[in-house]
Amino acid sequence: NLTTSSLHGYSARAVFTEPLGKRLLMEFSAGKSSTKTSSVRNTFDYSSQSGKFDDLNPLLSNDYDNTYSYTNAGAKLRYQKKKFNIAVGAQWQEASLKGNILTNGKDTSLQQKFYNILPNARFQYNFNRFRNITFNYNSNTNQPTISQLQPVPDISNPVNIRIGNPKLDQEFTHIMQLNYMSVNPFRGTNFFAFLNYRGTGNRIVNSDSISPFGIKYTIPVNVDGVYSFS
């Protein structure tokens, strides 16, 4: 088999800040991004007539392309004093995923759209010049790929067949970090402590089932309760 692929994309972002007082600042932002991916896979069987592997196998060949793009706009409020600073904001995001799959002579089109509000926050407290504590919170999304969405069975391995799930939703991740830093420049010592949490809703994982004939079928599904702490 022979696989060729290509990727093209662009992204742009603009930020505008406006002071609302001596210690208060408002920030507005907007962004646009688009990425197009194309892939062609041709699989050939052995031909007894030519003595070469030049007989195209349509069941194991496919041609697909997908375009992922998003538009976002948001606002953030920042407040700063001598001992601490705080920032709270949110972004609205519209994400679009479009794809076309051509396999075994069948053309399949997929299209998904997602809308989200992505909050974020940051707080830092300075005990003195050499000691502070910082809390960060961010959220982001992760889109399913076209290969995860396409409902066409991949029978490259006949005992492990993969099938896409066009009903997949995007992943939504919350990330929280608590960092403590203490430096003693007179003794040349320092101390750092980090706490990290990541929780993902609608996490995309593989669901496996085995038929009475011993064939394993794998399909991606959304699950909740996926998190990590360190």
Side-chain angles (χ1 to χ4, degrees):
N1 65 72
L2 175 65
T3 302
T4 58
S5 60
S6 63
L7 184 147
H8 304 277
Y10 72 87
S11 62
R13 185 170 184 264
V15 179
F16 174 78
T17 57
E18 176 69 23
L20 301 179
K22 187 177 180 180
R23 302 183 182 278
L24 199 61
L25 185 72
M26 195 71 180
E27 177 184 294
F28 301 94
S29 63
K32 175 70 176 178
S33 175
S34 181
T35 304
K36 183 174 182 178
T37 305
S38 300
S39 178
V40 179
R41 176 174 179 170
N42 291 322
T43 303
F44 299 93
D45 293 330
Y46 179 77
S47 172
S48 57
Q49 295 180 352
S50 64
K52 299 179 181 179
F53 285 89
D54 57 5
D55 185 14
L56 182 67
N57 186 327
L59 291 175
L60 301 181
S61 301
N62 59 58
D63 180 357
Y64 77 87
D65 63 81
N66 72 288
T67 301
Y68 171 67
S69 60
Y70 70 81
T71 303
N72 59 33
K76 182 182 292 186
L77 192 64
R78 297 181 178 180
Y79 181 75
Q80 182 163 347
K81 293 198 74 174
K82 184 177 180 180
K83 281 284 189 180
F84 70 91
N85 62 79
I86 186 171
V88 179
Q91 279 196 341
W92 170 85
Q93 183 185 81
E94 177 197 47
S96 174
L97 185 66
K98 298 179 181 179
N100 292 291
I101 307 105
L102 178 62
T103 182
N104 197 21
K106 297 179 180 179
D107 194 356
T108 305
S109 296
L110 296 171
Q111 184 169 346
Q112 294 268 29
K113 275 201 172 185
F114 307 100
Y115 302 92
N116 281 293
I117 299 294
L118 306 176
N120 59 81
R122 185 178 190 274
F123 174 79
Q124 181 175 352
Y125 184 83
N126 301 305
F127 299 98
N128 53 46
R129 284 196 306 159
F130 309 111
R131 190 159 54 99
N132 65 63
I133 189 168
T134 305
F135 172 78
N136 284 296
Y137 165 72
N138 285 289
S139 56
N140 58 54
T141 60
N142 183 42
Q143 323 306 320
T145 65
I146 285 295
S147 60
Q148 291 173 328
L149 290 169
Q150 61 181 1
V152 181
D154 179 1
I155 58 173
S156 302
N157 184 346
V159 295
N160 187 4
I161 298 176
R162 296 179 175 271
I163 307 173
N165 180 4
K167 296 182 180 180
L168 282 178
D169 201 353
Q170 63 179 180
E171 298 178 344
F172 196 103
T173 302
H174 303 271
I175 303 170
M176 287 181 278
Q177 299 172 315
L178 183 64
N179 304 329
Y180 174 78
M181 182 184 71
S182 177
V183 177
N184 189 328
F186 308 105
R187 294 185 177 180
T189 60
N190 55 67
F191 176 77
F192 302 94
F194 308 98
L195 290 175
N196 301 288
Y197 169 83
R198 175 186 290 263
T200 303
N202 290 326
R203 178 68 180 269
I204 300 174
V205 301
N206 288 330
S207 174
D208 298 330
S209 61
I210 299 178
S211 74
F213 303 101
I215 299 175
K216 185 172 78 169
Y217 291 87
T218 301
I219 181 171
V221 296
N222 291 115
V223 298
D224 284 323
V226 179
Y227 64 91
S228 63
F229 182 81
S230 62

